[in-house]
Amino acid sequence: MKHSLSLASLSVAALITLSACGSSSGGDIAGTSGGSSAAAAPSITAEAGSEATTEATSGASEAAAAHNGADVMFAQMMIPHHQQAVEMSDMMLSKDGISPEITDLATKIKDAQGPEIETMTGWLEAWDEPMEPEGGMDGHSMGAMGSDTGGSGSMEGMMSEDQMSELESAEGTEASRIFLESMTAHHEGAVSMAEDEIENGQNPDAIELAETIVETQNAEITEMEELLAGL
């Protein structure tokens, strides 16, 4: 009888042990599975974020690269237009007896338009477009460009070689007058070109630069008119 009870007790103990092991094992498996899922979740989120960033970058690049003929012409024509403005400013900065207001203006023009030349050159390179229109600058115009004010080629406001020589040799008040009158016409031509880009361009960066040119150069035209009145 005692032997039978002992066997029964052992059987019950064995069952309890097996049940406990099963519960423990199941818990471990569930824990492992849960841990794996938790670890996988950040990885999936990171991959999704990376893909979204890549798509956004690609979309931004495509938007920046999108351009049309008006964008190309704007850059091709505005680069030499800016280059002459920088050259005119350098002439004034090399002279003696020029008022600080005019040398400050010349410095401001040079500092603004120099970097813009680099920006537009970079666009043409990125767009795989030539630096000049086919056949050169002659015969090409942009919007209202092509005045008969002694400009260069068909670009309104550009000074001729003779006018540049006159500015280079002038001194004092005469140099200031030539510079202010010529740069006013030069700025008016640039504003006209920029307005044409705003109306007909496609590239958002080019349109933004055109808007900046309209705003800043119109303000400088007003400043130059005031300086001219004070000579």
Side-chain angles (χ1 to χ4, degrees):
M1 184 66 175
K2 290 182 179 180
H3 181 67
S4 298
L5 288 174
S6 298
L7 288 174
S9 299
L10 289 173
S11 298
V12 172
L15 288 172
I16 292 172
T17 302
L18 288 172
S19 176
C21 288
S23 298
S24 175
S25 175
D28 290 345
I29 292 171
T32 303
S33 176
S36 298
S37 299
S43 176
I44 293 170
T45 303
E47 289 176 4
S50 177
E51 290 175 2
T53 301
T54 301
E55 290 175 1
T57 302
S58 175
S61 298
E62 290 175 4
H67 65 283
N68 62 12
D71 298 318
V72 175
M73 183 65 69
F74 171 68
Q76 289 174 334
M77 302 293 272
M78 193 64 81
I79 288 171
H81 203 272
H82 273 24
Q83 287 171 335
Q84 188 178 76
V86 170
E87 185 179 357
M88 293 165 66
S89 298
D90 280 335
M91 286 183 184
M92 294 304 291
L93 293 172
S94 67
K95 296 180 184 296
D96 295 325
I98 305 299
S99 71
E101 292 82 5
I102 294 177
T103 57
D104 286 348
L105 173 65
T107 299
K108 181 166 62 175
I109 291 171
K110 179 180 178 179
D111 289 347
Q113 298 195 23
E116 289 174 356
I117 291 169
E118 295 179 4
T119 296
M120 290 183 286
T121 300
W123 290 344
L124 292 174
E125 291 173 348
W127 298 340
D128 196 25
E129 298 286 355
M131 290 296 120
E132 293 185 0
E134 186 176 353
M137 293 296 174
D138 292 342
H140 292 273
S141 63
M142 186 171 182
M145 293 165 61
S147 75
D148 56 359
T149 57
S152 174
S154 61
M155 284 189 285
E156 183 180 357
M158 289 279 283
M159 294 179 71
S160 66
E161 291 183 9
D162 288 345
Q163 289 172 320
M164 290 292 284
S165 296
E166 183 182 5
L167 175 61
E168 186 174 21
S169 61
E171 298 293 340
T173 302
E174 180 65 8
S176 297
R177 181 190 63 78
I178 294 172
F179 174 75
L180 293 172
E181 289 178 347
S182 300
M183 190 63 82
T184 297
H186 205 271
H187 273 28
E188 289 171 345
V191 168
S192 176
M193 294 163 64
E195 289 174 339
D196 188 76
E197 166 62 15
I198 293 168
E199 181 178 354
N200 300 307
Q202 175 184 355
N203 183 266
D205 292 335
I207 293 171
E208 183 178 2
L209 175 59
E211 291 171 342
T212 298
I213 288 172
V214 170
E215 180 180 355
T216 59
Q217 297 204 17
N218 272 330
E220 288 171 354
I221 288 170
T222 300
E223 181 180 355
M224 289 186 287
E225 290 173 344
E226 293 173 353
L227 289 171
L228 264 172
L231 289 180

